[in-house]
């Protein structure tokens, strides 16, 4: 009898399984909305094609909202003065569309904002760093266009910027790295595959002292970024699919980069690479 019951369960139509999943999701959501004092909300791995219920952003005490790895559709609910205590918002890997609401940048306690792997469009809002406490900004694999706001340079708390696979740049299709030059805590920067040219003409004396991960693949670079001279904590460097000619400069061999464990220089026009002295590198 037990084997027969298991067989019946396995033979249930996919629609019935999806309905059960949807009912479970609704039950979870109902409980969430009934808890006015809820501080943390994690809903993940539900295969549900539904919009985010606007009521959820009216929870005044919510500090952490994680709805990633679902199939949420539609726009991110837009409401001023919502989620006043929010610290973490992770909506990555859904099917969200529309523009990024401006109010997300005014959340005074927000430290982590990750909207990656969706179908978001429009520009990155200028207001995104107005709170001044943002540590992680994840927007990769969307359809964002237009300029990367220079206001990011005023957010000294930023440690990680993930903008890979969008179409962000200025009107000439150029991203100037000096817009990030005022971020002393920057550890992670990924601008790869944005369909734009990255300008690395920063003052050669400037460095990101805490930079650990830099990815500028397919950014039309024609030389090694000089600011790397002083990046003594760099662990991963991807400059692949660019237009770098000649041989690697001598300064890139200095012992200050001995923390490097990943280096990708493929699909360039290099003619000679000196022996790399680093103990940890994987090329």
């Amino acid at each position: 009898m037990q084997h027969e019951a298991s067989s019946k369960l396995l033979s249930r139509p996919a629609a019935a399984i999806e309905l059960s999943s949807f009912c479970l999701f609704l039950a979870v959501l109902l409980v969430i909305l009934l808890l006015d004092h809820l501080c943390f909300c994690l809903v993940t791995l539900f295969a549900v094609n539904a919009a985010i219920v606007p009521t959820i952003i009216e929870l005044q005490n919510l500090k952490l909202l994680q709805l990633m790895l679902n199939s949420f559709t539609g726009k991110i609910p837009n409401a001023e003065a919502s989620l006043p205590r929010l610290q973490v918002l992770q909506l990555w890997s859904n099917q969200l569309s529309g523009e990024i609401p401006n109010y997300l940048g005014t959340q005074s306690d927000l430290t982590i904002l990750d909207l990656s792997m969706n179908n978001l469009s429009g520009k990155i809002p200028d207001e995104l760093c107005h709170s001044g406490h943002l540590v992680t900004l994840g927007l990769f694999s969307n359809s964002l266009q237009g300029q990367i706001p220079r206001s990011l340079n005023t957010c000294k708390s930023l440690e990680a910027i993930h903008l890979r696979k969008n179409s962000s740049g200025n009107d000439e299709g150029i991203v100037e790295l000096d817009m990030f030059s005022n971020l002393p805590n920057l550890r992670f920067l990924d601008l790869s595959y944005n369909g734009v040219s990255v300008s690395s003409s920063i003052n050669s004396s400037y460095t990101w002292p805490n930079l650990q991960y830099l990815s500028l693949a397919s950014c039309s670079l024609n030389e090694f970024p000089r600011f790397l001279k002083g990046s003594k904590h760099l662990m991963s460097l991807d400059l692949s699919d660019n237009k770098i000619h000649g041989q690697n400069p001598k300064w890139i061999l200095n012992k200050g980069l001995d923390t490097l464990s990943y280096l990708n220089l493929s699909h360039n026009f290099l003619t000679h690479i000196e022996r790399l002295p680093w103990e940890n590198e994987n090329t």
Side-chain angles (χ1 to χ4, degrees):
M1 292 293 291
Q2 184 175 1
H3 176 73
E4 182 180 353
S6 299
S7 298
K8 289 182 178 179
L9 179 61
L10 292 174
S11 64
R12 291 174 64 192
I17 296 176
E18 288 185 11
L19 182 60
S20 298
S21 176
F22 184 68
C23 291
L24 177 59
F25 166 76
L26 288 179
V28 171
L29 188 60
L30 180 61
V31 171
I32 290 172
L33 297 180
L34 289 175
L35 297 176
D36 292 336
H37 300 288
L38 189 71
C39 292
F40 303 97
C41 175
L42 169 59
V43 179
T44 185
L45 293 176
F46 280 97
V48 178
N49 291 308
I52 297 176
V53 180
T55 312
I56 200 168
I57 66 171
E58 297 176 6
L59 298 173
Q60 297 298 302
N61 295 297
L62 198 64
K63 296 181 179 179
L64 184 150
L65 178 58
Q66 294 176 310
L67 302 177
M68 64 279 193
L69 291 167
N70 285 290
S71 298
F72 286 111
T73 60
K75 298 181 179 181
I76 299 172
N78 195 348
E80 299 294 335
S82 298
L83 301 172
R85 300 183 181 181
L86 191 66
Q87 298 175 9
V88 176
L89 178 60
Q90 293 180 310
L91 305 178
W92 53 271
S93 193
N94 280 287
Q95 299 175 29
L96 298 170
S97 58
E99 299 184 354
I100 301 173
N102 292 340
Y103 77 88
L104 290 179
T106 62
Q107 306 299 311
S108 59
D109 295 327
L110 190 65
T111 59
I112 297 177
L113 176 61
D114 197 342
L115 310 177
S116 304
M117 293 185 285
N118 280 288
N119 300 313
L120 298 173
S121 58
K123 296 182 178 181
I124 300 174
D126 289 330
E127 298 85 354
L128 212 52
C129 271
H130 281 191
S131 69
H133 296 100
L134 198 63
V135 173
T136 298
L137 175 62
L139 299 175
F140 71 87
S141 293
N142 278 287
S143 299
L144 299 169
Q145 298 178 337
Q147 297 184 15
I148 298 174
R150 298 196 71 87
S151 58
L152 292 182
N153 202 26
T154 65
C155 191
K156 296 183 182 296
S157 57
L158 267 173
E159 296 181 9
I161 301 174
H162 307 247
L163 298 179
R164 168 183 290 249
K165 292 186 178 179
N166 282 285
S167 300
S168 300
N170 62 20
D171 294 336
E172 289 78 37
I174 298 174
V175 174
E176 298 190 16
L177 289 176
D178 64 354
M179 70 169 56
F180 308 111
S181 63
N182 199 33
L183 304 178
N185 299 311
L186 192 65
R187 296 184 298 106
F188 185 110
L189 178 62
D190 189 348
L191 302 178
S192 298
Y193 300 106
N194 268 300
V196 296
S197 298
V198 168
S199 170
S200 62
S201 57
I202 301 180
N203 185 337
S204 59
S205 64
Y206 183 81
T207 63
W208 281 301
N210 298 305
L211 191 66
Q212 298 178 9
Y213 181 105
L214 177 66
S215 183
L216 299 177
S218 189
C219 288
S220 297
L221 288 171
N222 53 29
E223 63 178 359
F224 287 87
R226 296 180 182 179
F227 59 83
L228 291 175
K229 284 184 178 182
S231 299
K232 297 183 178 181
H233 302 289
L234 196 64
M235 300 174 63
S236 178
L237 176 62
D238 188 351
L239 301 179
S240 61
D241 290 305
N242 280 294
K243 302 175 182 178
I244 303 174
H245 287 75
Q247 63 183 45
N248 56 293
K250 292 183 179 180
W251 57 259
I252 205 171
L253 301 177
N254 80 47
K255 205 58 179 168
L257 292 179
D258 59 2
T259 58
L260 198 67
S261 61
Y262 176 82
L263 174 64
N264 190 349
L265 301 177
S266 64
H267 297 91
N268 278 285
F269 298 95
L270 297 171
T271 57
H272 181 69
I273 295 181
E274 297 284 350
R275 179 183 176 275
L276 302 179
W278 309 303
E279 299 176 357
N280 303 314
E281 86 275 2
N282 293 311
T283 57

